[in-house]
Amino acid sequence: MKKNKITFYGLFALLLLSINACNDDFLNRYPLDQISSAIYFKHASDFELYANQFYPSVFWDDATGSTNEGWNGGIYNFELNSDNMIKLGEPDSRLAGYNSVPSSGGGWDYTMIRDVNYGIANKGKCEDDPSQYNQYLGELYFFRAFAYFKLVRDFGDVPWVGKPLDPGSEELYGPRTPRTEVVQHIISDLDSAALLMNSGKMEEGTRVSKEVALAFKSRVALYEGTWEKYHHDDVFKGSTDGAEFLKQAADAALAVMNSGVYTIYSTGNPTQDYFDLFVQTDYAGWDEVMLYKKYDRSIGFVHHHDVASRYPYQKGLTRGLAVSYLSLDGQPRAVSPDFDESQCDSTATYESRHLDPRFGQTFASRDAVWAIDPGNPGGDTIYWYEPDVPPHSYMRCVPQIIDAAEGRGNTPTGYFRRKAFSPRMDIWKDWSDEDFGVIFIRYAEVLLNYAEAKAELGTITQGDVDKSINILRDRVAMPHLNIGGIVTDPNWDFPTLSPIINEVRRERRVELALENFRLDDILRWAAADELITGKTFKGVLYKNGDSRVPVDANGYVDRLRPQLPNGYGFQLDRDYLNPLPNDQLTLNSNLVQNPGW
Amino acid sequence: MKKNVINHERKKDYFLSLKTIRIMKLSVILLTLTLAQAFAVKSYSQRTRISLEMNDVMIKDVLSKIEKKSDFYFLYSPKMIDDTKKVNISVKGAKIDKILNELFKGTNTDYVIFGKQIVISNKTQISPFSQDPKKITISGKVIDDRGNPIPGVNIVEKGTTNGTITNNNGEYQLTVSGKETVIDFSFIGYNTQEITVGDQTVINVTMIESSISLDEVVSVGYGTQKKVNLTGSVDVISAKEMESRPVANVEQALQGASPNLNITLSGNGGEPGATMNWNIRGLGTLTGSNAPLILVDGVAMDINSIDPETIESVSVLKDAAASAIYGSRAPFGVVLITTKKGKKGEGFSLSYSNNFGFANAINLPQFPSSLEVAEAFNQAAANTGASPVFDDAHIQRIKDYLDGKISEEYDYANPYDNLENGRWEGNANYNWIDEFFKKNSLRQKHNINLSGGSKSTSYYISAGYYDQNGQYNWGDDSFKRYNLMANVNSKITNWLTFNFSTKYSKNKTDYPIGPWGKDRRNVYFELMHYFPTQPWYAEDGHLIHPIAANMENAGRERNDANDLMMTIGASIEPVKGWVTNVSYNYDYYSGVHTWFSKEVLVQTPAGNYQNLGPSLTRFKKDMNTSGYQVFNATTSYNKDINGHYFNLLLGYEQEINNYTGLYGDKGNLLSSEVPAISTATGDVNIDDWAGHWATQGVFGRLNYNYKEKYLFEFNARYNGSSRFSQDHRWGFFPSASVGYNIAKEGYWSGLVDFINNFKLRASYGSLGNQNVPNYLYLSTMDIRSQLEWIIGNSRPLYVNHAPNLISPSLTWETITTMNLGVDLGFFRNRLNATFDYYHRKTSDMFGPAESLPEVLGTSAPQENNAEMMTKGWETSVQWKDRINNFSYNFGFMLGDSKSEVLKYRNPDKWLGNWYEGQQVGEIWGYETDGFIQTDGESIPDQTYIWGGNWGPGDIKYKDQNDDGKIDEGAYTLEDHGDLKVLGNSLPRYNYSISAGVSWKGIDLNMFWQGVGRREFYKDMGASWNSVVFYGLVGEESQASVFKQHLDYWRPADDNVLGPNTNAYYAKPYFSDETYKNYQTQSKYLLNAAYIRLKNVQLGYTLPVDLTKKASIKKVRLYFSGENLLTITKLTKLFDPETGPASRGSGYIYPLSSVFSFGVNLTF
């Protein structure tokens, strides 16, 4: 017995000893499912995965970016921030002059810039042949340009940082880099991107390519060129008169036009092609689409833009946009003999029949196909106005204003969006799993950028117009723009500018309507004095006279006037740029607040 | 277990050779008898018959033989038995008294039988010493407080082995060494008394029944301790207290069971299988979990895997002194759960218990009539400038339906074709609350266990089953738990014991997936949107409620968790007092989680089919396993030298956890009847994960006390964790505590009848918190799948951001606790009270690094740079008494804590983050200055809140800083504009009240639990999620109306629902404008204090005379009710427990009241 005890104790002591030889090996537990940053970036595929992360950021303003996105109606409602669209309730705070200096955030965000810089900084680590990773490296340059462009649009001068910083870096406390210089960096990045990336449509337009970089370069250069030109005499000016940027914009656009990769989509159906362009699921064969966000119901990657927009829900397009459309004869509606303003009513039907076909494909009217429902026993095509279908139905959603008996179909202006509203009823009846793509860059913009840059430079020729604007007009069978024969429009927004600039801007507003360009255009043209300040955005001509519907002196619905008795309060010496957040000013005394804030 | 000790005591080697510790041993014997007696079978000596055939043996051999052959055991001093005399004995089937009479015939030896224990004493005193003139012979009688004599009382001259035992009449006689002699009178279940002889020769003693709790041995870290000797803050909850609440899980049973043990609902509310949130003594850290370490038989385990029936006791270690031995594993206290074990020599026992409950959801909001809903909607739309939601014809249909003029639930002539629009199209009048929730949803629980033991081996085996059905009427949800447990303990030799324990549990949940593919927690929220107008039936009679259809048919989410834990251990005691325990535990967990969604095709009233489900069927499955191993070894030695008691414990422990998981999903099921990856044909996603962590620690404890009067304890642990980098891995966590048992002082003896226990305690110590994510000190690439962007045809892999800046120096948070306590016992322990005050400071708390300019593009890594403090106190008062057959008890517990941020890097004291000096939980908001009642009324400039119009029915905010406008200033502490602190959202004054009576087998218990003070603000949030509170907000498609919401502002000339200018809710709008009236403000600050009757139970134990005829030892029947009554000032839209627990938006699975009955049987 005793012997057993001793043996047992001996063993036990041994056991304890062996445990107490404890060393750090036991506590060294390294990750089993993560890769150390030290060994990353050795292969081209590492760069591919790294570049992939930036794609969802392409639609900056669509904050959700998730598979369930778009319950707010998606990108085609973004122009609520401009004079193209309004919503019942509080007016857009920037246009109304309601913005204030935020304590933090406010868009002053360098996260993406750091992420891109980190990838670029590691380019030397790759052991593969450059031809295997140049595309992805080029994408990193593209996305850096992209992120800086967003900052410049919001804030003007921003510190340019070209490498990942540490908490100890001096650059953290650097001053704001002048905007001209930042844009030069952006253009240089886009040049690098164009040089490194492959030419042609990458992955059917879901990946950026050389031409996408050039197209984006034309957008940035045009932005900065016009900004520096039109803000030349105010507090927001850049360091140049903008001409150099405008030239770069025209050149970049021309390079895309000459690449031969892209064409304007047209099947010869002027009342349908423009509409169809925005409601496709797969743009593989659509040569106008340069970069788009693809959705696919078969893998559950969907959005809900339509269900969220199925009813107007207090959103409406403005009369300002409506009057931009030319009459079918190519003349302004105010002067065209073919157009009788007095026949307009609250339904937009007359306008859709007598204006540029893009009107009827952008604005809903009674003639338009509202839904295509193969499963509907009463017929598979439903028009926006169907007197025979029951109220409160999927099948009826007449855009109406306040006096209508229908509760859910009212808009604050009487005009309702049709563009990019997919008629595929089977989609939105199925849990609203919609999967039509959202276009980020299409070739039409490049043509418009080209025409505008040339017009601003004063070097535009009829040949330039023919290979840009007139191609767009051909799609919708509108008469060509003839530089020599421009008819004066009493509704021109910019009567002090040349007729061709007015017409180029009109074409841009019409063609790119509701694609989230309008606010940028107003800002870079320094056009808030003409378009925003002191104004309100009107709606349809309203004849019925219900006292609950505010109208202006001419009988146009003026929904926001009671809230904005003095019109929008956009401050011309302040609101062209957003304020820097207070915390950043405190943290870095070298940062100076934007003018007026 | 206790009996085990008795066997030790009787070993000759010790008993005879280690005289010096004999006194101590006697007290251990007495202590152990306390429990042993409780389990004695009354008639054992009468029932048991023994046959013996022994020749020429010593008496003690005979006694030993009897012990072997039966469950009897003897307590005696060897001196009392003549060990020279040889006897012969031959009996057949004789009762014990006959055998003993025979054995002791003609000797001086007498005996007393208590159940299975037999105390042997001398008929008359035999002085072991030669006569000494100083010696005094004393005699007397020992009685209890009711005057009955107590036989078998130990009477020992203190500090010697000289002693005796009272006879059957409670009489004794003892010769002691002198007048200064102190005599100890001790007996199981009674307080030991010390009496100085003095001039007395007759000393009659009245023994005072001790409360079990005082002499109770409680579990402390890596051992046990007498409750009376505790210096830390430790609370004990016995199985008996838990039995008085027949609930399904341990969390519910412990809610309110100990002051400042706070157990609150999680975001899953009262869902079947939902777990709860725990903390002890309030908040301890701002960044991570505040949960205590929960150990079941010494091993960390999921509390919900435990069948409450198998719990023997629960110790709650609250302060640093009590939990420091766990070092960084237990920064915020420890809950030690001990499961039941078999008793050696106890014989076989079988028990069965069950419980059948019927649950009904409580505290649900109620809808008004369909007409009121429609009119309120129309008013909100009109206020917005929108046209009516329900037009005149529709209103008429609603009226006609209510008046019984029509029976169609919608306009049959114009049937609608979108089911989700039913509520807008219908004119029905359902009280959906009645339709949504089940009546008397069944839950049942069964447990069977067997226990017992031979002399060397004991066992306890238990099997349990619990099945709970949910409360929703559609798409039945359920939770099932299966438990199996076995604890076996075997004594191999007199110095070596092995034990083996295995616990297996299986938890299964089965839920419908959330409607429209949303998280299932949205069910309640979605249900609340379907107001009375929603039709139930189409014209042809089929059901057309979209939520019901979704819940019934959209798919299921199932969880199946298996947890198998095995512990093997040995206890070695080579020398009396030196005990070494070694144990190894392996816990294997495996979980399978599946989720599938499918089409829900329902015919609409218009005749077409609508798919309410997703367009794509999909099946998801993830499996995860973990292997958790703990090895620990402790060795302890205790010794008592002249009242100086020492106990030293040293130990080593290591833990390692390896976990891994695999996830896959695939779209497009071939058949939704057989959802599986292999029956799907669509796109595939797979993912996996793996990880591990480990800790290692050495620890020690030194206890010292002098005569249980002056108590001292020191604990320390040196602990390492894999979560930190090599240089910052190890931490040392010491604690010290002292206690002073004033009532044990001699001078206190006069007060003993009044205050029999009076102990002061103080402790101070520090603990570490390692509850941070793994690998904060390593730079890794975060590679993910399923980019939110399709490239080509698929969603590729991607890297998520540049690696975070790393925190190489990150280390423990240190939690330092000071605790002062007092324990009091009055009136012979009828009244017990305890009070603790504590002060807990968390330093080196994880906080943000120095704020750096955003140009950095990422946040600087966390640092150990913040500090917070929680101060609080807790008290409990228990009264227990028995008057003849009637016993009753009453208890009250109250705990409070509040927390303050002492240090946090937020130099501007921006209110959007923690700041120095902040009271944790404070709610900032505007003060409401009433409604604007007339047009043009002068109000401050409120354009900061809303740039549009302000008019009658809108909120007027108070201009706190008299600058003429309402704003938030810079939203900092210095410049907070018109904001002020409205209240505090942390629960204060958590309390519980328990009371019980029992009389002749009937017992009645009740238990109340509540929160004394809590402000609750239902944040409007960025969206309309708080519809349950605000009702008519956001958009008409997201709004809902409950009865309370009709109390909204209406002008004096309103002729629809009548004027209501003194309303609770502001003028409603169906647009963003609604937010202008629902800024955080005093008007909508809610008082969430409550008191709730958690449980009432009425039981009846059948008389033993009756049951024993059926060979049943015990039969108890009971009825029980849970959550029967709630008293609160909170709006009826919320339950005071689920409201604040929900996810910031007022939607949560409701709690239930449960009526149940059950039976406990013991064979």
Side-chain angles (χ1 to χ4, degrees), chain A residues 572-589:
Chain A
L572 298 171
D573 53 358
R574 189 191 75 166
D575 284 317
Y576 277 108
L577 292 175
N578 283 335
L580 272 67
N582 269 332
D583 64 340
Q584 297 302 314
L585 297 172
T586 313
L587 288 167
N588 176 6
S589 55

PDB file of all heavy atoms in Angstrom, chain A residues 572-589:
ATOM      1  N   LEU A 572     -24.467  81.881 -51.641  1.00  0.00           N
ATOM      2  CA  LEU A 572     -23.541  81.860 -52.771  1.00  0.00           C
ATOM      3  C   LEU A 572     -22.087  82.001 -52.350  1.00  0.00           C
ATOM      4  O   LEU A 572     -21.186  81.613 -53.072  1.00  0.00           O
ATOM      5  CB  LEU A 572     -23.916  82.974 -53.751  1.00  0.00           C
ATOM      6  CG  LEU A 572     -25.312  82.826 -54.357  1.00  0.00           C
ATOM      7  CD1 LEU A 572     -25.686  84.080 -55.136  1.00  0.00           C
ATOM      8  CD2 LEU A 572     -25.377  81.596 -55.247  1.00  0.00           C
ATOM      9  N   ASP A 573     -21.868  82.578 -51.172  1.00  0.00           N
ATOM     10  CA  ASP A 573     -20.484  82.720 -50.723  1.00  0.00           C
ATOM     11  C   ASP A 573     -20.098  81.625 -49.723  1.00  0.00           C
ATOM     12  O   ASP A 573     -19.123  81.734 -49.008  1.00  0.00           O
ATOM     13  CB  ASP A 573     -20.285  84.099 -50.074  1.00  0.00           C
ATOM     14  CG  ASP A 573     -21.310  84.358 -48.980  1.00  0.00           C
ATOM     15  OD1 ASP A 573     -22.190  83.488 -48.768  1.00  0.00           O
ATOM     16  OD2 ASP A 573     -21.235  85.426 -48.352  1.00  0.00           O
ATOM     17  N   ARG A 574     -20.913  80.568 -49.655  1.00  0.00           N
ATOM     18  CA  ARG A 574     -20.650  79.551 -48.647  1.00  0.00           C
ATOM     19  C   ARG A 574     -20.927  78.141 -49.148  1.00  0.00           C
ATOM     20  O   ARG A 574     -20.101  77.245 -49.016  1.00  0.00           O
ATOM     21  CB  ARG A 574     -21.528  79.829 -47.428  1.00  0.00           C
ATOM     22  CG  ARG A 574     -21.209  78.988 -46.224  1.00  0.00           C
ATOM     23  CD  ARG A 574     -22.267  79.103 -45.148  1.00  0.00           C
ATOM     24  NE  ARG A 574     -23.473  78.355 -45.510  1.00  0.00           N
ATOM     25  CZ  ARG A 574     -24.444  78.052 -44.653  1.00  0.00           C
ATOM     26  NH1 ARG A 574     -24.367  78.457 -43.400  1.00  0.00           N
ATOM     27  NH2 ARG A 574     -25.490  77.382 -45.042  1.00  0.00           N
ATOM     28  N   ASP A 575     -22.100  77.944 -49.742  1.00  0.00           N
ATOM     29  CA  ASP A 575     -22.575  76.580 -49.923  1.00  0.00           C
ATOM     30  C   ASP A 575     -22.013  75.853 -51.142  1.00  0.00           C
ATOM     31  O   ASP A 575     -22.368  74.697 -51.379  1.00  0.00           O
ATOM     32  CB  ASP A 575     -24.112  76.570 -49.962  1.00  0.00           C
ATOM     33  CG  ASP A 575     -24.698  76.728 -48.573  1.00  0.00           C
ATOM     34  OD1 ASP A 575     -24.168  76.069 -47.652  1.00  0.00           O
ATOM     35  OD2 ASP A 575     -25.653  77.508 -48.396  1.00  0.00           O
ATOM     36  N   TYR A 576     -21.159  76.512 -51.900  1.00  0.00           N
ATOM     37  CA  TYR A 576     -20.546  75.775 -53.005  1.00  0.00           C
ATOM     38  C   TYR A 576     -19.619  74.683 -52.498  1.00  0.00           C
ATOM     39  O   TYR A 576     -19.345  73.721 -53.206  1.00  0.00           O
ATOM     40  CB  TYR A 576     -19.796  76.734 -53.940  1.00  0.00           C
ATOM     41  CG  TYR A 576     -20.718  77.397 -54.942  1.00  0.00           C
ATOM     42  CD1 TYR A 576     -21.053  78.742 -54.840  1.00  0.00           C
ATOM     43  CD2 TYR A 576     -21.260  76.646 -55.986  1.00  0.00           C
ATOM     44  CE1 TYR A 576     -21.904  79.341 -55.751  1.00  0.00           C
ATOM     45  CE2 TYR A 576     -22.115  77.236 -56.907  1.00  0.00           C
ATOM     46  CZ  TYR A 576     -22.440  78.588 -56.785  1.00  0.00           C
ATOM     47  OH  TYR A 576     -23.286  79.155 -57.686  1.00  0.00           O
ATOM     48  N   LEU A 577     -19.114  74.873 -51.310  1.00  0.00           N
ATOM     49  CA  LEU A 577     -18.300  73.825 -50.689  1.00  0.00           C
ATOM     50  C   LEU A 577     -18.891  73.497 -49.325  1.00  0.00           C
ATOM     51  O   LEU A 577     -19.534  74.329 -48.688  1.00  0.00           O
ATOM     52  CB  LEU A 577     -16.847  74.283 -50.530  1.00  0.00           C
ATOM     53  CG  LEU A 577     -16.054  74.459 -51.832  1.00  0.00           C
ATOM     54  CD1 LEU A 577     -14.672  75.025 -51.526  1.00  0.00           C
ATOM     55  CD2 LEU A 577     -15.927  73.145 -52.599  1.00  0.00           C
ATOM     56  N   ASN A 578     -18.654  72.256 -48.908  1.00  0.00           N
ATOM     57  CA  ASN A 578     -19.152  71.840 -47.594  1.00  0.00           C
ATOM     58  C   ASN A 578     -18.172  72.248 -46.504  1.00  0.00           C
ATOM     59  O   ASN A 578     -16.984  72.437 -46.760  1.00  0.00           O
ATOM     60  CB  ASN A 578     -19.341  70.322 -47.572  1.00  0.00           C
ATOM     61  CG  ASN A 578     -20.594  69.911 -48.314  1.00  0.00           C
ATOM     62  OD1 ASN A 578     -21.530  70.700 -48.443  1.00  0.00           O
ATOM     63  ND2 ASN A 578     -20.606  68.694 -48.810  1.00  0.00           N
ATOM     64  N   PRO A 579     -18.665  72.375 -45.291  1.00  0.00           N
ATOM     65  CA  PRO A 579     -17.769  72.734 -44.186  1.00  0.00           C
ATOM     66  C   PRO A 579     -16.920  71.549 -43.737  1.00  0.00           C
ATOM     67  O   PRO A 579     -17.352  70.402 -43.806  1.00  0.00           O
ATOM     68  CB  PRO A 579     -18.746  73.128 -43.076  1.00  0.00           C
ATOM     69  CG  PRO A 579     -19.985  72.348 -43.370  1.00  0.00           C
ATOM     70  CD  PRO A 579     -20.058  72.212 -44.860  1.00  0.00           C
ATOM     71  N   LEU A 580     -15.722  71.853 -43.298  1.00  0.00           N
ATOM     72  CA  LEU A 580     -14.896  70.824 -42.662  1.00  0.00           C
ATOM     73  C   LEU A 580     -15.432  70.584 -41.256  1.00  0.00           C
ATOM     74  O   LEU A 580     -15.894  71.524 -40.601  1.00  0.00           O
ATOM     75  CB  LEU A 580     -13.434  71.288 -42.560  1.00  0.00           C
ATOM     76  CG  LEU A 580     -12.523  71.004 -43.755  1.00  0.00           C
ATOM     77  CD1 LEU A 580     -12.980  71.816 -44.960  1.00  0.00           C
ATOM     78  CD2 LEU A 580     -11.078  71.333 -43.402  1.00  0.00           C
ATOM     79  N   PRO A 581     -15.375  69.359 -40.797  1.00  0.00           N
ATOM     80  CA  PRO A 581     -15.879  69.095 -39.440  1.00  0.00           C
ATOM     81  C   PRO A 581     -14.990  69.748 -38.384  1.00  0.00           C
ATOM     82  O   PRO A 581     -13.778  69.843 -38.552  1.00  0.00           O
ATOM     83  CB  PRO A 581     -15.839  67.574 -39.327  1.00  0.00           C
ATOM     84  CG  PRO A 581     -14.849  67.123 -40.343  1.00  0.00           C
ATOM     85  CD  PRO A 581     -14.884  68.136 -41.444  1.00  0.00           C
ATOM     86  N   ASN A 582     -15.632  70.166 -37.327  1.00  0.00           N
ATOM     87  CA  ASN A 582     -14.912  70.879 -36.263  1.00  0.00           C
ATOM     88  C   ASN A 582     -13.759  70.088 -35.667  1.00  0.00           C
ATOM     89  O   ASN A 582     -12.709  70.638 -35.362  1.00  0.00           O
ATOM     90  CB  ASN A 582     -15.884  71.242 -35.135  1.00  0.00           C
ATOM     91  CG  ASN A 582     -16.496  72.609 -35.367  1.00  0.00           C
ATOM     92  OD1 ASN A 582     -15.870  73.461 -35.994  1.00  0.00           O
ATOM     93  ND2 ASN A 582     -17.714  72.795 -34.891  1.00  0.00           N
ATOM     94  N   ASP A 583     -13.980  68.773 -35.478  1.00  0.00           N
ATOM     95  CA  ASP A 583     -12.932  67.999 -34.796  1.00  0.00           C
ATOM     96  C   ASP A 583     -11.631  68.014 -35.594  1.00  0.00           C
ATOM     97  O   ASP A 583     -10.542  68.066 -35.024  1.00  0.00           O
ATOM     98  CB  ASP A 583     -13.397  66.572 -34.491  1.00  0.00           C
ATOM     99  CG  ASP A 583     -13.683  65.752 -35.738  1.00  0.00           C
ATOM    100  OD1 ASP A 583     -13.888  66.353 -36.805  1.00  0.00           O
ATOM    101  OD2 ASP A 583     -13.709  64.513 -35.634  1.00  0.00           O
ATOM    102  N   GLN A 584     -11.726  68.027 -36.928  1.00  0.00           N
ATOM    103  CA  GLN A 584     -10.505  67.997 -37.732  1.00  0.00           C
ATOM    104  C   GLN A 584      -9.757  69.327 -37.636  1.00  0.00           C
ATOM    105  O   GLN A 584      -8.533  69.351 -37.632  1.00  0.00           O
ATOM    106  CB  GLN A 584     -10.831  67.671 -39.184  1.00  0.00           C
ATOM    107  CG  GLN A 584     -11.446  66.290 -39.364  1.00  0.00           C
ATOM    108  CD  GLN A 584     -10.550  65.184 -38.851  1.00  0.00           C
ATOM    109  OE1 GLN A 584      -9.351  65.150 -39.112  1.00  0.00           O
ATOM    110  NE2 GLN A 584     -11.122  64.265 -38.086  1.00  0.00           N
ATOM    111  N   LEU A 585     -10.524  70.385 -37.525  1.00  0.00           N
ATOM    112  CA  LEU A 585      -9.880  71.703 -37.376  1.00  0.00           C
ATOM    113  C   LEU A 585      -9.143  71.778 -36.049  1.00  0.00           C
ATOM    114  O   LEU A 585      -8.082  72.379 -35.936  1.00  0.00           O
ATOM    115  CB  LEU A 585     -10.931  72.807 -37.465  1.00  0.00           C
ATOM    116  CG  LEU A 585     -11.660  72.901 -38.814  1.00  0.00           C
ATOM    117  CD1 LEU A 585     -12.813  73.890 -38.717  1.00  0.00           C
ATOM    118  CD2 LEU A 585     -10.703  73.304 -39.923  1.00  0.00           C
ATOM    119  N   THR A 586      -9.733  71.147 -35.030  1.00  0.00           N
ATOM    120  CA  THR A 586      -9.093  71.155 -33.722  1.00  0.00           C
ATOM    121  C   THR A 586      -7.844  70.288 -33.730  1.00  0.00           C
ATOM    122  O   THR A 586      -6.805  70.655 -33.179  1.00  0.00           O
ATOM    123  CB  THR A 586     -10.070  70.611 -32.665  1.00  0.00           C
ATOM    124  OG1 THR A 586     -11.319  71.242 -32.856  1.00  0.00           O
ATOM    125  CG2 THR A 586      -9.555  70.848 -31.261  1.00  0.00           C
ATOM    126  N   LEU A 587      -7.946  69.133 -34.376  1.00  0.00           N
ATOM    127  CA  LEU A 587      -6.836  68.193 -34.340  1.00  0.00           C
ATOM    128  C   LEU A 587      -5.647  68.675 -35.160  1.00  0.00           C
ATOM    129  O   LEU A 587      -4.516  68.335 -34.879  1.00  0.00           O
ATOM    130  CB  LEU A 587      -7.297  66.825 -34.874  1.00  0.00           C
ATOM    131  CG  LEU A 587      -8.226  66.057 -33.949  1.00  0.00           C
ATOM    132  CD1 LEU A 587      -8.862  64.887 -34.674  1.00  0.00           C
ATOM    133  CD2 LEU A 587      -7.462  65.569 -32.725  1.00  0.00           C
ATOM    134  N   ASN A 588      -5.937  69.425 -36.188  1.00  0.00           N
ATOM    135  CA  ASN A 588      -4.857  69.898 -37.052  1.00  0.00           C
ATOM    136  C   ASN A 588      -5.030  71.390 -37.271  1.00  0.00           C
ATOM    137  O   ASN A 588      -5.855  71.827 -38.055  1.00  0.00           O
ATOM    138  CB  ASN A 588      -4.907  69.136 -38.383  1.00  0.00           C
ATOM    139  CG  ASN A 588      -3.856  69.650 -39.357  1.00  0.00           C
ATOM    140  OD1 ASN A 588      -3.026  70.494 -39.012  1.00  0.00           O
ATOM    141  ND2 ASN A 588      -3.901  69.118 -40.573  1.00  0.00           N
ATOM    142  N   SER A 589      -4.207  72.156 -36.577  1.00  0.00           N
ATOM    143  CA  SER A 589      -4.391  73.604 -36.633  1.00  0.00           C
ATOM    144  C   SER A 589      -4.002  74.167 -37.998  1.00  0.00           C
ATOM    145  O   SER A 589      -4.279  75.322 -38.305  1.00  0.00           O
ATOM    146  CB  SER A 589      -3.561  74.272 -35.537  1.00  0.00           C
ATOM    147  OG  SER A 589      -2.215  73.874 -35.660  1.00  0.00           O
TER     148      SER A 589
END
